[in-house]
Amino acid sequence: MKPTDTNDPEYFHKVVDCQFACPAHTPVPEYIRLIAQERYTDAYMINWESNVFPGVLGRTCDRPCEPACRRGRVEEEPVAICRLKRVAADFKGDVKGLMPGAGPKNGKKIALIGGGPASLTVARDLAPLGYEMHLFDAQEKGGGFMRSEIPTFRLPVEVLDEEVNYVLDMGVHAHFNTYVDSLQSVLDKDYDAVFVGCGAPRGRDLPNLPGRTEAGANIHIGLDWLASVAFDHIKSIGKRVIVLGGGNTAMDCCRTSRRLGGEDVKVIVRSPFEDMKASPWEKEDAIHEGIPILDNHVPKEFVHKDGKLVGMTFEKVEAQYDKDGKRSLVPTGEDLVHVACDDVLIAIGQENSFPWIEKSTGVRFTSWGTPIINDDETFQSTNKKVFFGGDAAFGPANIITAVAHGHKAAVSIDMYCRGLDPEVGRPDPHVTLVSQKMGIHEWSYDSIPVTDKREAVPLVDLEQALKSKTLEVELGFDAETAFVQAERCLNCDAQTVFTESACIECDACTDICPTSCISFVENAEEPELRQNLLVPADNAEQDLYVSGELPTGKVMVKDEDVCLHCGLCAERCPTAAWDMQKFYYTMAKAAPVLVEAAE
């Protein structure tokens, strides 16, 4: 193998597994260390630099970082990354003075269609550069689906308002209660670019299921129903409720139903429980609130009597998988199952809807109804002036993905408005790599892995929680618990950097390494080299760190997959060939870097 190019910013980025897995590439270990130091405001601003909505995401994020967490490789549970983000938001000081304002006007105007996380991120990045931002949304406040689809018992209104307003206060011209029904009419105005961040607003239905029309008065599309609840148009539901679907929207529907009068609420899903799209913790929360989940039930009919819904029938199935893992749902042959109900909420997915985008605009769509976009870096449509992001771009995803889209689209819009090609010469990520030495064997960070276990976030009393649709269920960590949980982080951004010219091949690092991830071996092609290490490196998704040739003809090889970043190799090395260097990475943005790594 060739020596590893550690000057490539993506090499060490990939080693910080949690940050690499985050669509917005939030510097997770950096803000967790700051929480352990009780520097909550600094931790919040590090988050805000990347993900824009720390308080929101600390409660609602889909947490792609946590399955990637290296802590999960040495024990059962990863670091509570998401809930520590909330700690930064809960305990921060006044950050208004740290937020940027609108920059000097540059003469360019941008239209943002939709007031959700993608559009707000574009505004956050472009307003400080002097762009005049005009945001249009049909709701009375900003936030998009964060406001209309996430129940307030999960996301308090005041938290959402605060973080939305940080962006709007940058001089954004917000046009609320304004539904855009024609993209052409927007293009006919003097905007230099248009960003479409309207989400995927149409919930899927079961229009052909028998009884759908006859019993329609008590059958509701989950997305629309949640929005009606959010804006106080709906305040009650029947005592017996069926929620169809296995995603997070279904979990929000069933839990909201319990708070609006549903006494017998059931989630019924076609797939096996393990295959449900809902996050594991969302399913746990529903079950905790006394909501059973019936899996392997395929809906067959809405049963009605005298024009009133009285129940549903289902066919029981079992999942069978072929050699490629493709699933088929095969009927078991048992009798149909009848489940009585007063109301049904359909939460089986959502899709894009662009009836307001005319052919005259030059914006073209795929057969799936999503816009044809150059790629997932530029987000530029077939009309070079129009950009998409969030769920509007590729279909339903999540908030943190929408934020990442917004950052990339803002770069593209800025380049386009300056007459540049958004596909060529995009800015590099902001990267630093700095030694953490405070002496030959001392580090500026707490390098010793602790053995504390992950703690669950405390909840309000269940009986009390179910009486209110606005009482926040999760209480969050207190400062003491937050410190203990923060200390579980293995500081994966403190990189082990090897200087081969200083190495005397004494094997001291090999001897002291607790995971035996360092080997001095003859070089070979990667598949063979992986098997020749002290412990074979079987996870090919994570790289090997390979040095140049040493005096003996061997090379140093480190398996990045199992390194704990404990620093023992650097402490033990008699020649300082190993050093612990903090790697700080933020994705490229149109806005100038506002928050640097902590000292």
Side-chain angles (χ1 to χ4, degrees), residues 379-413:
F379 290 90
Q380 191 173 40
S381 75
T382 49
N383 180 327
K384 302 297 184 184
K385 197 175 188 178
V386 180
F387 301 79
F388 285 76
D391 292 355
F394 302 123
N398 50 47
I399 298 170
I400 192 65
T401 298
V403 169
H405 289 183
H407 285 313
K408 291 179 179 181
V411 170
S412 298
I413 292 169

PDB file of all heavy atoms in Angstrom, residues 379-413:
ATOM      1  N   PHE A 379     -27.151  20.995  -6.137  1.00  0.00           N
ATOM      2  CA  PHE A 379     -28.597  21.143  -5.937  1.00  0.00           C
ATOM      3  C   PHE A 379     -29.221  22.103  -6.944  1.00  0.00           C
ATOM      4  O   PHE A 379     -30.275  22.680  -6.705  1.00  0.00           O
ATOM      5  CB  PHE A 379     -28.919  21.582  -4.503  1.00  0.00           C
ATOM      6  CG  PHE A 379     -28.641  20.492  -3.507  1.00  0.00           C
ATOM      7  CD1 PHE A 379     -27.401  20.376  -2.904  1.00  0.00           C
ATOM      8  CD2 PHE A 379     -29.612  19.555  -3.206  1.00  0.00           C
ATOM      9  CE1 PHE A 379     -27.128  19.353  -2.014  1.00  0.00           C
ATOM     10  CE2 PHE A 379     -29.343  18.524  -2.312  1.00  0.00           C
ATOM     11  CZ  PHE A 379     -28.111  18.421  -1.715  1.00  0.00           C
ATOM     12  N   GLN A 380     -28.576  22.246  -8.102  1.00  0.00           N
ATOM     13  CA  GLN A 380     -29.064  23.110  -9.172  1.00  0.00           C
ATOM     14  C   GLN A 380     -29.987  22.308 -10.088  1.00  0.00           C
ATOM     15  O   GLN A 380     -29.665  21.187 -10.483  1.00  0.00           O
ATOM     16  CB  GLN A 380     -27.893  23.681  -9.965  1.00  0.00           C
ATOM     17  CG  GLN A 380     -28.246  24.782 -10.926  1.00  0.00           C
ATOM     18  CD  GLN A 380     -26.989  25.390 -11.537  1.00  0.00           C
ATOM     19  OE1 GLN A 380     -26.041  24.680 -11.872  1.00  0.00           O
ATOM     20  NE2 GLN A 380     -26.961  26.709 -11.666  1.00  0.00           N
ATOM     21  N   SER A 381     -31.133  22.878 -10.421  1.00  0.00           N
ATOM     22  CA  SER A 381     -32.115  22.181 -11.250  1.00  0.00           C
ATOM     23  C   SER A 381     -31.825  22.400 -12.733  1.00  0.00           C
ATOM     24  O   SER A 381     -30.817  23.007 -13.106  1.00  0.00           O
ATOM     25  CB  SER A 381     -33.520  22.678 -10.912  1.00  0.00           C
ATOM     26  OG  SER A 381     -33.735  23.963 -11.466  1.00  0.00           O
ATOM     27  N   THR A 382     -32.720  21.917 -13.589  1.00  0.00           N
ATOM     28  CA  THR A 382     -32.565  22.105 -15.035  1.00  0.00           C
ATOM     29  C   THR A 382     -32.772  23.570 -15.433  1.00  0.00           C
ATOM     30  O   THR A 382     -32.422  23.947 -16.550  1.00  0.00           O
ATOM     31  CB  THR A 382     -33.550  21.208 -15.797  1.00  0.00           C
ATOM     32  OG1 THR A 382     -34.866  21.352 -15.239  1.00  0.00           O
ATOM     33  CG2 THR A 382     -33.143  19.741 -15.685  1.00  0.00           C
ATOM     34  N   ASN A 383     -33.343  24.359 -14.566  1.00  0.00           N
ATOM     35  CA  ASN A 383     -33.310  25.817 -14.706  1.00  0.00           C
ATOM     36  C   ASN A 383     -32.184  26.301 -13.801  1.00  0.00           C
ATOM     37  O   ASN A 383     -32.272  26.191 -12.572  1.00  0.00           O
ATOM     38  CB  ASN A 383     -34.650  26.435 -14.292  1.00  0.00           C
ATOM     39  CG  ASN A 383     -34.673  27.950 -14.423  1.00  0.00           C
ATOM     40  OD1 ASN A 383     -33.662  28.621 -14.228  1.00  0.00           O
ATOM     41  ND2 ASN A 383     -35.839  28.504 -14.730  1.00  0.00           N
ATOM     42  N   LYS A 384     -31.117  26.800 -14.385  1.00  0.00           N
ATOM     43  CA  LYS A 384     -29.902  27.112 -13.629  1.00  0.00           C
ATOM     44  C   LYS A 384     -30.138  28.096 -12.497  1.00  0.00           C
ATOM     45  O   LYS A 384     -29.332  28.196 -11.563  1.00  0.00           O
ATOM     46  CB  LYS A 384     -28.826  27.673 -14.572  1.00  0.00           C
ATOM     47  CG  LYS A 384     -28.441  26.744 -15.713  1.00  0.00           C
ATOM     48  CD  LYS A 384     -27.824  25.461 -15.198  1.00  0.00           C
ATOM     49  CE  LYS A 384     -27.346  24.585 -16.334  1.00  0.00           C
ATOM     50  NZ  LYS A 384     -26.822  23.270 -15.858  1.00  0.00           N
ATOM     51  N   LYS A 385     -31.241  28.814 -12.567  1.00  0.00           N
ATOM     52  CA  LYS A 385     -31.542  29.837 -11.569  1.00  0.00           C
ATOM     53  C   LYS A 385     -32.263  29.258 -10.357  1.00  0.00           C
ATOM     54  O   LYS A 385     -32.408  29.917  -9.333  1.00  0.00           O
ATOM     55  CB  LYS A 385     -32.420  30.912 -12.225  1.00  0.00           C
ATOM     56  CG  LYS A 385     -32.520  32.236 -11.511  1.00  0.00           C
ATOM     57  CD  LYS A 385     -33.319  33.211 -12.371  1.00  0.00           C
ATOM     58  CE  LYS A 385     -33.294  34.620 -11.791  1.00  0.00           C
ATOM     59  NZ  LYS A 385     -34.023  35.567 -12.661  1.00  0.00           N
ATOM     60  N   VAL A 386     -32.725  28.010 -10.467  1.00  0.00           N
ATOM     61  CA  VAL A 386     -33.567  27.405  -9.430  1.00  0.00           C
ATOM     62  C   VAL A 386     -32.821  26.257  -8.755  1.00  0.00           C
ATOM     63  O   VAL A 386     -32.293  25.357  -9.424  1.00  0.00           O
ATOM     64  CB  VAL A 386     -34.892  26.891 -10.026  1.00  0.00           C
ATOM     65  CG1 VAL A 386     -35.751  26.263  -8.936  1.00  0.00           C
ATOM     66  CG2 VAL A 386     -35.638  28.030 -10.709  1.00  0.00           C
ATOM     67  N   PHE A 387     -32.804  26.292  -7.431  1.00  0.00           N
ATOM     68  CA  PHE A 387     -32.117  25.284  -6.629  1.00  0.00           C
ATOM     69  C   PHE A 387     -33.127  24.642  -5.679  1.00  0.00           C
ATOM     70  O   PHE A 387     -34.091  25.273  -5.251  1.00  0.00           O
ATOM     71  CB  PHE A 387     -30.973  25.926  -5.843  1.00  0.00           C
ATOM     72  CG  PHE A 387     -29.947  26.590  -6.713  1.00  0.00           C
ATOM     73  CD1 PHE A 387     -30.176  27.854  -7.258  1.00  0.00           C
ATOM     74  CD2 PHE A 387     -28.749  25.958  -7.007  1.00  0.00           C
ATOM     75  CE1 PHE A 387     -29.240  28.478  -8.070  1.00  0.00           C
ATOM     76  CE2 PHE A 387     -27.798  26.565  -7.822  1.00  0.00           C
ATOM     77  CZ  PHE A 387     -28.048  27.821  -8.360  1.00  0.00           C
ATOM     78  N   PHE A 388     -32.882  23.378  -5.352  1.00  0.00           N
ATOM     79  CA  PHE A 388     -33.760  22.655  -4.440  1.00  0.00           C
ATOM     80  C   PHE A 388     -32.944  22.155  -3.248  1.00  0.00           C
ATOM     81  O   PHE A 388     -31.721  22.030  -3.309  1.00  0.00           O
ATOM     82  CB  PHE A 388     -34.389  21.447  -5.148  1.00  0.00           C
ATOM     83  CG  PHE A 388     -35.482  21.794  -6.120  1.00  0.00           C
ATOM     84  CD1 PHE A 388     -35.175  22.317  -7.369  1.00  0.00           C
ATOM     85  CD2 PHE A 388     -36.811  21.599  -5.797  1.00  0.00           C
ATOM     86  CE1 PHE A 388     -36.171  22.640  -8.277  1.00  0.00           C
ATOM     87  CE2 PHE A 388     -37.823  21.912  -6.690  1.00  0.00           C
ATOM     88  CZ  PHE A 388     -37.509  22.428  -7.929  1.00  0.00           C
ATOM     89  N   GLY A 389     -33.646  21.820  -2.154  1.00  0.00           N
ATOM     90  CA  GLY A 389     -32.981  21.239  -0.996  1.00  0.00           C
ATOM     91  C   GLY A 389     -33.981  20.683  -0.013  1.00  0.00           C
ATOM     92  O   GLY A 389     -35.190  20.962  -0.091  1.00  0.00           O
ATOM     93  N   GLY A 390     -33.510  19.900   0.935  1.00  0.00           N
ATOM     94  CA  GLY A 390     -34.392  19.258   1.905  1.00  0.00           C
ATOM     95  C   GLY A 390     -35.239  18.193   1.239  1.00  0.00           C
ATOM     96  O   GLY A 390     -34.871  17.633   0.201  1.00  0.00           O
ATOM     97  N   ASP A 391     -36.401  17.912   1.816  1.00  0.00           N
ATOM     98  CA  ASP A 391     -37.278  16.878   1.265  1.00  0.00           C
ATOM     99  C   ASP A 391     -37.718  17.205  -0.161  1.00  0.00           C
ATOM    100  O   ASP A 391     -38.054  16.301  -0.938  1.00  0.00           O
ATOM    101  CB  ASP A 391     -38.523  16.721   2.143  1.00  0.00           C
ATOM    102  CG  ASP A 391     -38.208  16.132   3.519  1.00  0.00           C
ATOM    103  OD1 ASP A 391     -37.047  15.755   3.738  1.00  0.00           O
ATOM    104  OD2 ASP A 391     -39.120  16.052   4.357  1.00  0.00           O
ATOM    105  N   ALA A 392     -37.734  18.473  -0.528  1.00  0.00           N
ATOM    106  CA  ALA A 392     -38.143  18.866  -1.874  1.00  0.00           C
ATOM    107  C   ALA A 392     -37.167  18.368  -2.931  1.00  0.00           C
ATOM    108  O   ALA A 392     -37.524  18.236  -4.100  1.00  0.00           O
ATOM    109  CB  ALA A 392     -38.276  20.384  -1.968  1.00  0.00           C
ATOM    110  N   ALA A 393     -35.938  18.079  -2.539  1.00  0.00           N
ATOM    111  CA  ALA A 393     -34.918  17.677  -3.511  1.00  0.00           C
ATOM    112  C   ALA A 393     -35.012  16.209  -3.878  1.00  0.00           C
ATOM    113  O   ALA A 393     -35.174  15.851  -5.040  1.00  0.00           O
ATOM    114  CB  ALA A 393     -33.526  18.001  -2.964  1.00  0.00           C
ATOM    115  N   PHE A 394     -34.903  15.340  -2.889  1.00  0.00           N
ATOM    116  CA  PHE A 394     -34.832  13.902  -3.163  1.00  0.00           C
ATOM    117  C   PHE A 394     -35.912  13.100  -2.462  1.00  0.00           C
ATOM    118  O   PHE A 394     -35.869  11.876  -2.433  1.00  0.00           O
ATOM    119  CB  PHE A 394     -33.459  13.364  -2.744  1.00  0.00           C
ATOM    120  CG  PHE A 394     -32.304  14.044  -3.420  1.00  0.00           C
ATOM    121  CD1 PHE A 394     -31.302  14.654  -2.671  1.00  0.00           C
ATOM    122  CD2 PHE A 394     -32.225  14.103  -4.800  1.00  0.00           C
ATOM    123  CE1 PHE A 394     -30.237  15.284  -3.286  1.00  0.00           C
ATOM    124  CE2 PHE A 394     -31.158  14.742  -5.423  1.00  0.00           C
ATOM    125  CZ  PHE A 394     -30.161  15.339  -4.674  1.00  0.00           C
ATOM    126  N   GLY A 395     -36.885  13.769  -1.858  1.00  0.00           N
ATOM    127  CA  GLY A 395     -37.919  13.063  -1.128  1.00  0.00           C
ATOM    128  C   GLY A 395     -37.663  13.111   0.364  1.00  0.00           C
ATOM    129  O   GLY A 395     -36.665  13.673   0.838  1.00  0.00           O
ATOM    130  N   PRO A 396     -38.556  12.498   1.157  1.00  0.00           N
ATOM    131  CA  PRO A 396     -38.504  12.615   2.616  1.00  0.00           C
ATOM    132  C   PRO A 396     -37.196  12.111   3.218  1.00  0.00           C
ATOM    133  O   PRO A 396     -36.717  11.025   2.871  1.00  0.00           O
ATOM    134  CB  PRO A 396     -39.686  11.754   3.077  1.00  0.00           C
ATOM    135  CG  PRO A 396     -40.592  11.682   1.896  1.00  0.00           C
ATOM    136  CD  PRO A 396     -39.711  11.724   0.699  1.00  0.00           C
ATOM    137  N   ALA A 397     -36.640  12.899   4.120  1.00  0.00           N
ATOM    138  CA  ALA A 397     -35.442  12.493   4.879  1.00  0.00           C
ATOM    139  C   ALA A 397     -35.619  12.978   6.312  1.00  0.00           C
ATOM    140  O   ALA A 397     -36.485  12.519   7.024  1.00  0.00           O
ATOM    141  CB  ALA A 397     -34.183  13.044   4.220  1.00  0.00           C
ATOM    142  N   ASN A 398     -34.812  13.941   6.748  1.00  0.00           N
ATOM    143  CA  ASN A 398     -34.896  14.424   8.128  1.00  0.00           C
ATOM    144  C   ASN A 398     -34.318  15.834   8.210  1.00  0.00           C
ATOM    145  O   ASN A 398     -33.809  16.375   7.226  1.00  0.00           O
ATOM    146  CB  ASN A 398     -34.175  13.467   9.091  1.00  0.00           C
ATOM    147  CG  ASN A 398     -32.768  13.136   8.600  1.00  0.00           C
ATOM    148  OD1 ASN A 398     -32.014  14.018   8.213  1.00  0.00           O
ATOM    149  ND2 ASN A 398     -32.419  11.858   8.610  1.00  0.00           N
ATOM    150  N   ILE A 399     -34.391  16.411   9.407  1.00  0.00           N
ATOM    151  CA  ILE A 399     -33.999  17.812   9.576  1.00  0.00           C
ATOM    152  C   ILE A 399     -32.517  18.018   9.286  1.00  0.00           C
ATOM    153  O   ILE A 399     -32.132  18.950   8.576  1.00  0.00           O
ATOM    154  CB  ILE A 399     -34.330  18.293  11.010  1.00  0.00           C
ATOM    155  CG1 ILE A 399     -35.830  18.228  11.264  1.00  0.00           C
ATOM    156  CG2 ILE A 399     -33.835  19.724  11.226  1.00  0.00           C
ATOM    157  CD1 ILE A 399     -36.223  18.458  12.722  1.00  0.00           C
ATOM    158  N   ILE A 400     -31.672  17.163   9.838  1.00  0.00           N
ATOM    159  CA  ILE A 400     -30.229  17.375   9.697  1.00  0.00           C
ATOM    160  C   ILE A 400     -29.799  17.236   8.243  1.00  0.00           C
ATOM    161  O   ILE A 400     -28.896  17.930   7.772  1.00  0.00           O
ATOM    162  CB  ILE A 400     -29.429  16.430  10.628  1.00  0.00           C
ATOM    163  CG1 ILE A 400     -27.961  16.846  10.706  1.00  0.00           C
ATOM    164  CG2 ILE A 400     -29.579  14.989  10.221  1.00  0.00           C
ATOM    165  CD1 ILE A 400     -27.730  18.203  11.343  1.00  0.00           C
ATOM    166  N   THR A 401     -30.466  16.377   7.478  1.00  0.00           N
ATOM    167  CA  THR A 401     -30.173  16.266   6.047  1.00  0.00           C
ATOM    168  C   THR A 401     -30.590  17.530   5.323  1.00  0.00           C
ATOM    169  O   THR A 401     -29.885  18.021   4.428  1.00  0.00           O
ATOM    170  CB  THR A 401     -30.884  15.045   5.445  1.00  0.00           C
ATOM    171  OG1 THR A 401     -30.393  13.859   6.084  1.00  0.00           O
ATOM    172  CG2 THR A 401     -30.642  14.928   3.955  1.00  0.00           C
ATOM    173  N   ALA A 402     -31.736  18.093   5.704  1.00  0.00           N
ATOM    174  CA  ALA A 402     -32.187  19.345   5.097  1.00  0.00           C
ATOM    175  C   ALA A 402     -31.195  20.473   5.359  1.00  0.00           C
ATOM    176  O   ALA A 402     -30.922  21.301   4.477  1.00  0.00           O
ATOM    177  CB  ALA A 402     -33.574  19.715   5.633  1.00  0.00           C
ATOM    178  N   VAL A 403     -30.645  20.508   6.569  1.00  0.00           N
ATOM    179  CA  VAL A 403     -29.645  21.528   6.904  1.00  0.00           C
ATOM    180  C   VAL A 403     -28.415  21.363   6.016  1.00  0.00           C
ATOM    181  O   VAL A 403     -27.880  22.351   5.471  1.00  0.00           O
ATOM    182  CB  VAL A 403     -29.265  21.439   8.394  1.00  0.00           C
ATOM    183  CG1 VAL A 403     -28.040  22.300   8.697  1.00  0.00           C
ATOM    184  CG2 VAL A 403     -30.436  21.866   9.267  1.00  0.00           C
ATOM    185  N   ALA A 404     -27.947  20.137   5.856  1.00  0.00           N
ATOM    186  CA  ALA A 404     -26.778  19.878   5.010  1.00  0.00           C
ATOM    187  C   ALA A 404     -27.046  20.315   3.578  1.00  0.00           C
ATOM    188  O   ALA A 404     -26.185  20.938   2.928  1.00  0.00           O
ATOM    189  CB  ALA A 404     -26.415  18.394   5.052  1.00  0.00           C
ATOM    190  N   HIS A 405     -28.244  20.013   3.064  1.00  0.00           N
ATOM    191  CA  HIS A 405     -28.613  20.472   1.729  1.00  0.00           C
ATOM    192  C   HIS A 405     -28.558  21.992   1.645  1.00  0.00           C
ATOM    193  O   HIS A 405     -28.084  22.561   0.648  1.00  0.00           O
ATOM    194  CB  HIS A 405     -30.030  20.013   1.388  1.00  0.00           C
ATOM    195  CG  HIS A 405     -30.170  18.550   1.143  1.00  0.00           C
ATOM    196  ND1 HIS A 405     -31.360  17.975   0.756  1.00  0.00           N
ATOM    197  CD2 HIS A 405     -29.281  17.531   1.233  1.00  0.00           C
ATOM    198  CE1 HIS A 405     -31.200  16.672   0.621  1.00  0.00           C
ATOM    199  NE2 HIS A 405     -29.957  16.372   0.920  1.00  0.00           N
ATOM    200  N   GLY A 406     -29.081  22.650   2.684  1.00  0.00           N
ATOM    201  CA  GLY A 406     -29.102  24.109   2.682  1.00  0.00           C
ATOM    202  C   GLY A 406     -27.713  24.711   2.595  1.00  0.00           C
ATOM    203  O   GLY A 406     -27.490  25.681   1.852  1.00  0.00           O
ATOM    204  N   HIS A 407     -26.766  24.149   3.358  1.00  0.00           N
ATOM    205  CA  HIS A 407     -25.386  24.654   3.301  1.00  0.00           C
ATOM    206  C   HIS A 407     -24.814  24.514   1.888  1.00  0.00           C
ATOM    207  O   HIS A 407     -24.188  25.446   1.361  1.00  0.00           O
ATOM    208  CB  HIS A 407     -24.502  23.883   4.281  1.00  0.00           C
ATOM    209  CG  HIS A 407     -24.700  24.251   5.721  1.00  0.00           C
ATOM    210  ND1 HIS A 407     -24.752  25.550   6.165  1.00  0.00           N
ATOM    211  CD2 HIS A 407     -24.824  23.466   6.833  1.00  0.00           C
ATOM    212  CE1 HIS A 407     -24.909  25.562   7.484  1.00  0.00           C
ATOM    213  NE2 HIS A 407     -24.963  24.313   7.908  1.00  0.00           N
ATOM    214  N   LYS A 408     -25.015  23.348   1.278  1.00  0.00           N
ATOM    215  CA  LYS A 408     -24.452  23.121  -0.056  1.00  0.00           C
ATOM    216  C   LYS A 408     -25.138  23.993  -1.104  1.00  0.00           C
ATOM    217  O   LYS A 408     -24.480  24.541  -2.002  1.00  0.00           O
ATOM    218  CB  LYS A 408     -24.587  21.641  -0.420  1.00  0.00           C
ATOM    219  CG  LYS A 408     -23.698  20.720   0.410  1.00  0.00           C
ATOM    220  CD  LYS A 408     -23.887  19.258   0.014  1.00  0.00           C
ATOM    221  CE  LYS A 408     -22.984  18.344   0.818  1.00  0.00           C
ATOM    222  NZ  LYS A 408     -23.145  16.918   0.438  1.00  0.00           N
ATOM    223  N   ALA A 409     -26.461  24.098  -1.001  1.00  0.00           N
ATOM    224  CA  ALA A 409     -27.187  24.925  -1.959  1.00  0.00           C
ATOM    225  C   ALA A 409     -26.786  26.388  -1.836  1.00  0.00           C
ATOM    226  O   ALA A 409     -26.700  27.104  -2.854  1.00  0.00           O
ATOM    227  CB  ALA A 409     -28.695  24.770  -1.754  1.00  0.00           C
ATOM    228  N   ALA A 410     -26.523  26.847  -0.611  1.00  0.00           N
ATOM    229  CA  ALA A 410     -26.109  28.238  -0.415  1.00  0.00           C
ATOM    230  C   ALA A 410     -24.771  28.506  -1.110  1.00  0.00           C
ATOM    231  O   ALA A 410     -24.573  29.572  -1.704  1.00  0.00           O
ATOM    232  CB  ALA A 410     -26.019  28.558   1.074  1.00  0.00           C
ATOM    233  N   VAL A 411     -23.858  27.546  -1.029  1.00  0.00           N
ATOM    234  CA  VAL A 411     -22.582  27.681  -1.751  1.00  0.00           C
ATOM    235  C   VAL A 411     -22.850  27.820  -3.246  1.00  0.00           C
ATOM    236  O   VAL A 411     -22.284  28.686  -3.937  1.00  0.00           O
ATOM    237  CB  VAL A 411     -21.669  26.466  -1.481  1.00  0.00           C
ATOM    238  CG1 VAL A 411     -20.461  26.481  -2.423  1.00  0.00           C
ATOM    239  CG2 VAL A 411     -21.190  26.464  -0.033  1.00  0.00           C
ATOM    240  N   SER A 412     -23.738  26.965  -3.766  1.00  0.00           N
ATOM    241  CA  SER A 412     -24.042  26.983  -5.196  1.00  0.00           C
ATOM    242  C   SER A 412     -24.691  28.301  -5.610  1.00  0.00           C
ATOM    243  O   SER A 412     -24.360  28.870  -6.661  1.00  0.00           O
ATOM    244  CB  SER A 412     -24.966  25.814  -5.548  1.00  0.00           C
ATOM    245  OG  SER A 412     -24.344  24.578  -5.273  1.00  0.00           O
ATOM    246  N   ILE A 413     -25.641  28.775  -4.804  1.00  0.00           N
ATOM    247  CA  ILE A 413     -26.332  30.026  -5.127  1.00  0.00           C
ATOM    248  C   ILE A 413     -25.343  31.189  -5.129  1.00  0.00           C
ATOM    249  O   ILE A 413     -25.366  32.044  -6.026  1.00  0.00           O
ATOM    250  CB  ILE A 413     -27.484  30.271  -4.135  1.00  0.00           C
ATOM    251  CG1 ILE A 413     -28.589  29.223  -4.340  1.00  0.00           C
ATOM    252  CG2 ILE A 413     -28.046  31.673  -4.282  1.00  0.00           C
ATOM    253  CD1 ILE A 413     -29.641  29.216  -3.246  1.00  0.00           C
TER     254      ILE A 413
END
